[in-house]
Amino acid sequence: MANDPIIIIGAGQCGQKATETLRQQGYEGGLVLIGDEPHAPYQRPPLSKAFLKGEMSLERLMLKGPDYFDQFNIDARLSRWVESIDPAGRRVLLHGGESVAYSKLLLATGTRSRKIPVLPGLDLEGVHYMRTIADVQAIMQALKPETRIAIIGGGYIGLEVASALRSFKHDVTVIEGMERVLQRVVCPQLSDYFHRLHSSRGVAIHVNAVLEAIEGAGRVERIRLRDGQEIDTDMVLMAVGAEPVCELAEQAGLTIENGVSTDETCRTSDPNIYAAGDCSSFFSKRYQRHIRLESVQNAIDQGKHAAGAMLGSAEVYDPVPWFWSDQYEIKLQIAGLSQGYDRTEVEGDETEDAFAVRYFAGDRLLCVDAVNMPRAHMMARRELANLD
Ligand SMILES: Cc1cc2nc3c(=O)[nH]c(=O)nc-3n(C[C@H](O)[C@H](O)[C@H](O)COP(=O)(O)OP(=O)(O)OC[C@H]3O[C@@H](n4cnc5c(N)ncnc54)[C@H](O)[C@@H]3O)c2cc1C
C-alpha cells in the first residue's frame, strides 16, 4: 500500500501545482493525475478576459509545456472521470471500470458553474456557462456581429464577460438579483463605481432583477423577469456563481462543510485523503473558522501545501487570501476578506480611477480593495500578513 502511487483527482491549477511540488520535494514514487477535461492543466482567469477577447491563444492558456508529464514522470489520465472512492480499500474507480490503488489521495476537484435547477428555458439553445475552455469556445462560435447577450449575475465573472464583449460592441445586459453588483464581495462605494463604469461603456444593468424564465422556440429569444419585464436577447450567460465539486468526498463519507472539510494541513476526515483548491473548505487559523476560497492564489498555494502534507509535513496552511479582476482598463486587486467589516477608509482618487478602499472591524484591518494601485495591493498583503 505504501508503494501505491499518490493519486490526484482534478487536473486544474491546484492538481498541477501539487504534482510539480511532489517531484520538487523529492517524491520519486508513482504519481497519477486524473482529470475529466481533454486538456492538460490550464489557467482559467483568462477565459473571461484575454482568451474570450481572442487576445490569447489556447497554447498560452496551458500552465506547462507539452513535455511536462514526461519530464516529471506523471501518469496523466485526461478525459477520464472518477466515479467513486473506496477509502477502506484505498482505491479510486474510474468510469469504464478501471480501479487504481493509492497510498495518498488528493481531491482537487474544483468548482462547477451553479445551475438554477427549476428555471424554465435553461435547456434552450443559446444558454451558456463560463467555466471551461469548451464553454468559451461555444460562446465564441455562437457570437455573430451585434449579438445581444443577457448575462445573469453581476459578480466578477459576469462583469468581466460584459467588459470583454463590449469591446466587440455586442449589446450586453446584466441582470443582478441583489441591490447592487458585486454585493457579496465589495462595499457599496465600489459597487457604485463598477456600476457606473459599465453603464458608461454601454452595458445595461438591472439590479433587484430576478430572472423568472428564459423563453424561445427551441432557442433563446428573450428573458422574463419576476416584475414582468421582458428583454429580447440572442444569448444568455448564466454567471450565478460556482459550487464545490464534492460528490466523491460525500460518497466516501468525508466531512463536508461548504466544500470538502479539511484541517489546517489540508487533511480531510480520512487520514489518507487530502483536499485543496476551490473544492476545499479548510480551517483557517487567521479567521478561526472554515473558509473556502475560489482563487488562483489558493489553488497554487494550497496545492503546494497539500503536496508537502502528503509527504509528511505538519506545516499549517494560513494564507492571506488575494484575488484580482480585470474589467476594461481597470484592475481591481483584493487582499484579505472583507466579511464582518464595520467601516471603510478610502485612499487615492476615485475620479482618477486610482484608489484603494480599506475595510476595518474596529481598528483591525481586514481587507484592502485596490483599483489600479498595484503598490497599495502589495503593501496591503504585507500588512495583513504581519497582523497576529
Ligand atoms: C472564468 C473564470 C475567471 C476567473 N478569474 C479569476 C481571477 O481573475 N483571479 C483569480 O484569482 N481567480 C479567478 N478564477 C478562479 C480560479 O481560476 C480558480 O480558483 C482555480 O482555477 C481553481 O483551481 P482548482 O484546480 O482548485 O479547480 P478547477 O480549476 O476547477 O479544476 C478542477 C478540475 O477537476 C475536474 N474534476 C472534478 N471532478 C472530477 C472527477 N470526479 N473526475 C475527474 N476530474 C474531475 C474538473 O472538471 C476540473 O477540470 C476564475 C475562474 C473562472 C472560471
Side-chain angles (χ1 to χ4, degrees):
M1 274 192 160
N3 289 332
D4 287 329
I6 291 180
I7 297 184
I8 297 173
I9 307 178
Q13 187 129 32
C14 177
Q16 184 279 321
K17 186 47 78 177
T19 58
E20 186 180 343
T21 309
L22 284 164
R23 290 302 187 217
Q24 283 167 346
Q25 294 196 0
Y27 173 69
E28 289 178 350
L31 184 50
V32 182
L33 177 68
I34 310 171
D36 66 324
E37 290 185 68
H39 306 282
Y42 60 91
Q43 337 164 40
R44 289 188 201 279
L47 295 181
S48 51
K49 309 175 181 79
F51 187 65
L52 179 62
K53 286 200 268 183
E55 293 169 354
M56 191 175 190
S57 67
L58 189 67
E59 224 177 24
R60 277 191 50 221
L61 273 188
M62 299 300 138
L63 287 165
K64 292 286 163 186
D67 55 351
Y68 175 69
F69 295 137
D70 285 344
Q71 205 188 337
F72 280 70
N73 192 18
I74 297 162
D75 176 0
R77 319 270 184 105
L78 302 178
S79 299
R80 298 298 303 274
W81 179 253
V82 176
E83 299 241 305
S84 63
I85 304 167
D86 167 12
R90 287 205 215 168
R91 302 190 77 83
V92 301
L93 180 70
L94 279 75
H95 180 71
E98 187 188 356
S99 127
V100 190
Y102 62 82
S103 54
K104 301 274 182 210
L105 178 66
L106 174 63
L107 296 171
T109 49
T111 44
R112 61 167 67 94
S113 301
R114 179 165 292 128
K115 303 214 162 146
I116 306 174
V118 291
L119 188 76
L122 209 53
D123 53 356
L124 288 175
E125 196 187 323
V127 176
H128 292 267
Y129 295 87
M130 169 65 63
R131 179 81 205 163
T132 62
I133 287 176
D135 290 341
V136 182
Q137 287 172 333
I139 292 172
M140 287 164 104
Q141 238 170 26
L143 284 171
K144 304 279 177 294
E146 295 176 32
T147 299
R148 297 163 301 175
I149 303 128
I151 298 174
I152 315 302
Y156 287 123
I157 290 183
L159 294 185
E160 286 182 354
V161 172
S163 125
L165 295 184
R166 279 305 292 155
S167 65
F168 298 117
K169 305 279 178 260
H170 291 297
D171 181 336
V172 181
T173 301
V174 171
I175 305 296
E176 169 54 54
M178 294 198 194
E179 260 172 37
R180 52 187 174 89
V181 296
L182 299 173
Q183 180 160 332
R184 279 187 309 116
V185 278
V186 302
C187 65
Q189 182 178 351
L190 268 177
S191 289
D192 290 349
Y193 174 79
F194 280 100
H195 191 131
R196 280 198 309 276
L197 174 71
H198 282 272
S199 300
S200 72
R201 306 301 165 99
V203 176
I205 301 184
H206 299 245
V207 291
N208 289 318
V210 179
L211 179 67
E212 192 125 287
I214 305 170
E215 297 176 339
R219 59 164 303 117
V220 173
E221 289 172 21
R222 77 193 77 78
I223 55 170
R224 185 161 42 80
L225 305 182
R226 187 173 292 165
D227 65 4
Q229 209 182 148
E230 292 187 349
I231 299 170
D232 290 340
T233 190
D234 307 303
M235 189 188 274
V236 170
L237 175 74
M238 298 299 296
V240 291
E243 54 195 23
V245 178
C246 294
E247 296 85 9
L248 287 176
E250 233 170 328
Q251 162 271 333
L254 307 182
T255 308
I256 308 291
E257 209 169 2
N258 177 34
V260 186
S261 179
T262 76
D263 63 13
E264 60 270 41
T265 68
C266 308
R267 190 140 61 162
T268 69
S269 47
D270 180 311
N272 298 308
I273 306 181
Y274 296 73
D278 277 17
C279 71
S280 97
S281 162
F282 65 95
F283 184 76
S284 162
K285 243 181 99 192
R286 183 180 302 276
Y287 297 103
Q288 283 299 304
R289 59 187 162 89
H290 274 81
I291 59 173
R292 193 175 67 75
L293 301 170
E294 291 175 16
S295 68
V296 164
Q297 169 275 314
N298 183 59
I300 293 177
D301 293 347
Q302 209 178 9
K304 269 190 210 165
H305 210 93
M310 288 192 288
L311 299 181
S313 163
E315 210 182 300
V316 166
Y317 179 64
D318 197 20
V320 172
W322 58 266
F323 185 84
W324 79 95
S325 175
D326 297 328
Q327 296 167 43
Y328 309 100
E329 66 289 351
I330 303 298
K331 182 175 275 299
L332 169 67
Q333 292 170 293
I334 296 167
L337 299 177
S338 60
Q339 204 179 6
Y341 78 93
D342 52 30
R343 68 187 177 88
T344 57
E345 282 175 10
V346 179
E347 269 177 17
D349 188 349
E350 193 182 312
T351 59
E352 298 281 314
D353 295 319
F355 64 104
V357 180
R358 293 167 66 82
Y359 298 74
F360 294 88
D363 290 335
R364 191 178 175 83
L365 180 68
L366 298 180
C367 176
V368 179
D369 291 348
V371 173
N372 288 346
M373 281 183 93
R375 196 157 171 272
H377 172 68
M378 290 314 294
M379 283 169 58
R381 276 164 57 180
R382 241 171 279 144
E383 193 177 344
L384 288 163
N386 290 333
L387 296 177
D388 7 279

